[in-house]
Each structure stands twice: as structure tokens, then as C-alpha cells.
Amino acid sequence: MEQHQRESLSAPQLAAIQRSITHGRMAMTRRSLLRAGSLGTLALGGLGTLAGCGIPAAARSESGPSDDHSDEEKQIVFSNWTEYIDTTDDGKHRPTLEAFTRRTGITVKYTEDINDNVEFFGKVKPQLAAGKSIGRDLICVTDWMAGRMIRLGWMQKLDASNLPHAYANLSAQFRSPDWDPGRAHAYPWTAIPTVIAYNKKATGGRRVDSISQLLEDPELKGRVGMLTEMRDTVGMTLLDMGKRTEDFTADDYETAVARLQKAVDRGQIRRFTGNDYINDLDKGDLAACVAWAGDLMQLQADNPAIDFTIPEAGYIIATDELLVPSGARHKKNAERLIDYYYEPKAAAELAAWINYVCPVDGIRPELAKIDKDLAANPLIIPDREMSSRAHAFRSLTSEEETAFEDKFAKLIGA
């Protein structure tokens, strides 16, 4: 079977991505997606392209050192998500990027042109598949898409000699993703934990700290929310069953879905949600739910009844990743920028603005200079115990993803 056939997106995969775009991970508050309507149009166009023709076979002619113009051209083109970097209140300056330019003389053309993983993929796919440059030296996409692009041969291997801080300071929990062994192609920009959130008024002050409690506690019946993102909901359930999400089997998956189905049939689960759980949790219509940590910091600031727990069984964590595409003109410059964000001072400034888990060790003293509360927050700097409970959802084959998403869609009534 040719690679483009293996990499085509099935109907269940497309449906799952559409859910994610409208109110799932891709529409999280960290993205500030005010343009949901226009995004839907863009994304559906990209999805149609992917569904119609599949993904072309990979272009394997990665750019070599002779193609790198970093020494004579002191510049970088960096594509990222919206509102995903430190910015001054007037929106005119990005302090960490400006500090990098002052130090190195390398200017950064920073563009916020990634609205969601699939729409961006559809935009750059034709050039990358043809072995052409996409006019970008650095991109940021979510881990599952990073793995897909690496698998297709479209991302360059990084030169470790240009990444001393990244190599030394990358937190242990992010060092060995199965989709990029040895971190040959990518380094995380930030990480997104999936946790349990609850409204203390709605629970009568009771703590909610396990998936078993969500699925079985009669006091919570009809007031539980689970996510429409398969990796988060099934992943958290697998962990609660004592399974490792890094190496679970198809039978494990079936058992987890069956367990969730029983909770649906009993009326334990009120509904499956995207990030629209925020309003229901705030009002107490949901007593407890599976939630994304980044949503909770602002929610807690507005409502002191909101709290969260990290299950003893563990939690799912995803990452957004920095990669250098094939054909990039300024690979070494891009590597220097990646490495810069693994220096504790720059990493702390970025974390203070983004408010997500920072993948860089040693930032606590620098972050404390900015905000002591943030430096003590485990949702930004996980302590050793929390880090030990973090689990990634393993990479899936195309066949697995189709089968798993189809079963999950039936579970949530999508």
C-alpha cells in the first residue's frame, strides 16, 4: 500500500477533527478563537481536501547544510497559533522575541497564521509533498500532527550542537515521545494537562479525585461531564483502569469504551462536552468533569468554588511542538530560537504569559521574580509527584485511529 493511501483520513477521523475544531482542544481558550465561524469554513475546506485526495507520498529530500542561509541571512520566519507568545498590553511588542533579536542580531518575522492543525496542514501540504519550501523556518503544531508530519518526511532533523539548553533543560517527562524517538525533530513549546475539575458548591464541599468517582458515584449522577476528545476521555479512563496509555491494546480500548457506555446508560454522565463545560461547571450544572488545565486558571480566578485534582492513577498530557520544515532557508537560526526558549529566563517569561505547563526545567526562580503564585502553581511547573503521573496517549496507526474514533463517536452520539 502506498504511503498516501496509508495516511488518508477516514470519515471517523474527519468527524473527530471537526468536533475538535468547533469546541474541542483546537478551540481551547489558549487559542482565543473568536472567529469560530470563519475558522469552521477554513477548516472544512482543508478537511475536504484531505478527504478527497489523501496525503501525497512524502518528499524525502530534506534540506541539507548547503541549503541553509542562516550565516548570511540573519532572519527567521516563525508561524504560531494566535495569542501564544508573550505580548505587551498594547499588542505592539513581543518582549522575548525582541530580546532574542538584540542578543543575536537575528530578526524574527512572527506570524499568527495557525488557526488549527488540520487547516494549517491543508495549507502547506502541496508544497511539502512536492519537496518545496513553505516559506517558514519554524512552525508549532500539536504532538499528533507533529508525528504525522515527521512520519511523512516533511520535517528536518535538528542539529543537537545548536540546542545545548534544550537538550539540558527539557523536562524528563517530555524526553521520549514515541512519535519522535530521541527528540530528533521537535521540542515542545508548551504542554496541556487533562485533569478533573469540580464545583465545590455543587458537590457539597466533597472532593472529586478519580475517574471511578465520576463514573460511579451516585451523588454525582446526572451531573458529570466527559470530553468529546477521544484521547482525553478514553485515555483518562484507561489510566483509571490501571492501563498505561503509552502501550494499551485494542482490547483495553474496548473495555474502557464499554465502561463509559455503562455510565451513559445509567445516566451518570450528563453529556460529553468540548470547552463549553466552562459555563456549566461555573454555574454548577456540572458538579464535576474532565477538563483542560489551561481553562481552569481563569475560571478559578473568577469563581473560588472551582477546584481541580490530579488523579492518583495519572492524567493525560499533550504538547504543542516546534519543528523546522524541509526547505527552510534558516534552519540554524530557527534552532537557535528553539534553544533560546529553553533558557530559564526566556522560558519563565513565556510561561507567565501563556499559563500552561512549561517543558523547561529550572524556571521556578525566574518565574517567582515575575509572579510567586505562578511559580508555585503545579499547572505551570509540575512538582515531581505530578510529573510522575503524566502520561501520553500512544501513537495510533491509521487503521486504529479509524476504528477507535468510530467506536468513540457511537459512544458520545456524534
Side-chain angles (χ1 to χ4, degrees):
M1 185 181 292
E2 293 182 3
Q3 182 157 356
H4 73 279
Q5 292 175 313
R6 292 199 306 269
E7 294 294 336
S8 296
L9 293 176
S10 65
Q13 288 173 283
L14 293 171
I17 291 167
Q18 287 173 320
R19 290 197 304 271
S20 189
I21 289 167
T22 53
H23 56 256
R25 269 187 184 172
M26 298 180 191
M28 289 171 64
T29 54
R30 83 191 192 278
R31 305 304 193 199
S32 187
L33 294 185
L34 306 176
R35 57 211 171 278
S38 61
L39 172 58
T41 301
L42 286 170
L44 290 176
L47 289 170
T49 300
L50 292 176
C53 62
I55 301 171
R60 292 291 175 182
S61 55
E62 292 186 345
S63 301
S66 61
D67 300 314
D68 190 8
H69 300 268
S70 292
D71 290 339
E72 63 269 22
E73 297 175 5
K74 298 295 184 180
Q75 57 188 277
I76 303 169
V77 180
F78 180 9
S79 283
N80 205 347
W81 301 77
T82 59
E83 299 194 16
Y84 213 23
I85 197 169
D86 55 306
T87 307
T88 55
D89 290 341
D90 59 11
K92 294 181 179 179
H93 301 280
R94 298 185 176 96
T96 55
L97 283 183
E98 291 175 0
F100 173 78
T101 296
R102 286 194 299 272
R103 181 200 297 182
T104 64
I106 299 169
T107 60
V108 182
K109 181 182 178 182
Y110 184 83
T111 58
E112 297 180 330
D113 61 345
I114 300 181
N115 294 311
D116 72 79
N117 291 286
V118 176
E119 184 266 335
F120 182 73
F121 183 93
K123 182 164 56 177
V124 300
K125 171 174 67 75
Q127 299 100 301
L128 289 171
K132 297 180 180 178
S133 171
I134 60 172
R136 298 165 177 85
D137 303 301
L138 193 63
I139 63 173
C140 182
V141 296
T142 305
D143 48 19
W144 62 269
M145 180 59 77
R148 180 180 289 272
M149 291 176 134
I150 291 168
R151 187 166 64 245
L152 287 164
W154 294 350
M155 298 294 114
Q156 295 196 54
K157 286 188 175 181
L158 301 175
D159 184 344
S161 67
N162 295 325
L163 297 160
H165 296 99
Y167 181 81
N169 296 335
L170 177 63
S171 296
Q173 71 183 93
F174 302 114
R175 285 190 174 269
S176 303
D178 63 354
W179 47 268
D180 186 29
R183 284 285 175 191
H185 299 84
Y187 273 86
W189 179 247
T190 192
I192 308 102
T194 301
V195 299
I196 292 175
Y198 62 101
N199 185 315
K200 288 181 282 190
K201 288 184 178 179
T203 65
R206 295 171 63 237
R207 176 182 169 89
V208 181
D209 58 9
S210 72
I211 297 298
S212 292
Q213 196 173 351
L214 288 178
L215 298 183
E216 299 164 11
D217 187 342
E219 295 295 322
L220 299 176
K221 185 175 181 179
R223 299 186 297 152
V224 169
M226 304 295 279
L227 292 169
T228 55
E229 295 278 354
M230 179 268 287
R231 286 169 172 81
D232 295 307
T233 289
V234 179
M236 294 288 279
T237 304
L238 284 164
L239 291 172
D240 189 72
M241 292 162 47
K243 305 297 181 180
R244 280 173 41 86
T245 51
E246 293 85 353
D247 54 16
F248 67 91
T249 67
D251 286 343
D252 294 333
Y253 184 89
E254 293 269 7
T255 303
V257 170
R259 185 181 182 201
L260 289 161
Q261 186 66 60
K262 287 181 181 179
V264 171
D265 295 342
R266 290 196 310 267
Q268 182 76 11
I269 297 174
R270 182 184 183 94
R271 67 189 185 98
F272 291 86
T273 76
N275 66 349
D276 50 331
Y277 66 77
I278 294 172
N279 291 332
D280 286 349
L281 185 64
D282 187 40
K283 292 184 295 184
D285 292 343
L286 287 177
C289 62
V290 177
W292 290 302
D295 290 332
L296 299 180
M297 292 189 67
Q298 185 59 51
L299 192 54
Q300 285 182 307
D302 297 334
N303 183 350
I306 303 302
D307 205 349
F308 73 93
T309 55
I310 306 299
E312 185 72 29
Y315 64 98
I316 297 294
I317 194 163
T319 54
D320 286 332
E321 298 284 336
L322 298 173
L323 306 102
V324 178
S326 294
R329 285 182 63 88
H330 312 107
K331 178 175 181 285
K332 184 166 70 173
N333 290 346
E335 291 166 340
R336 292 183 67 183
L337 184 62
I338 294 172
D339 196 62
Y340 166 74
Y341 278 108
Y342 275 78
E343 296 179 22
K345 184 175 186 299
E349 291 177 25
L350 182 66
W353 202 91
I354 294 178
N355 286 179
Y356 269 80
V357 167
C358 179
V360 182
D361 279 341
I363 73 161
R364 194 183 302 276
E366 293 293 340
L367 188 56
K369 295 176 186 177
I370 302 170
D371 188 316
K372 291 183 179 179
D373 290 338
L374 289 180
N377 193 319
L379 296 182
I380 296 179
I381 306 177
D383 56 25
R384 183 173 299 177
E385 182 180 8
M386 182 174 173
S387 295
S388 70
R389 297 183 193 176
H391 295 269
F393 195 96
R394 72 169 172 84
S395 296
L396 303 177
T397 66
S398 294
E399 293 79 9
E400 284 179 323
E401 189 153 359
T402 295
F404 289 1
E405 288 289 7
D406 185 52
K407 289 180 173 65
F408 187 70
K410 292 174 181 175
L411 168 72
I412 68 176

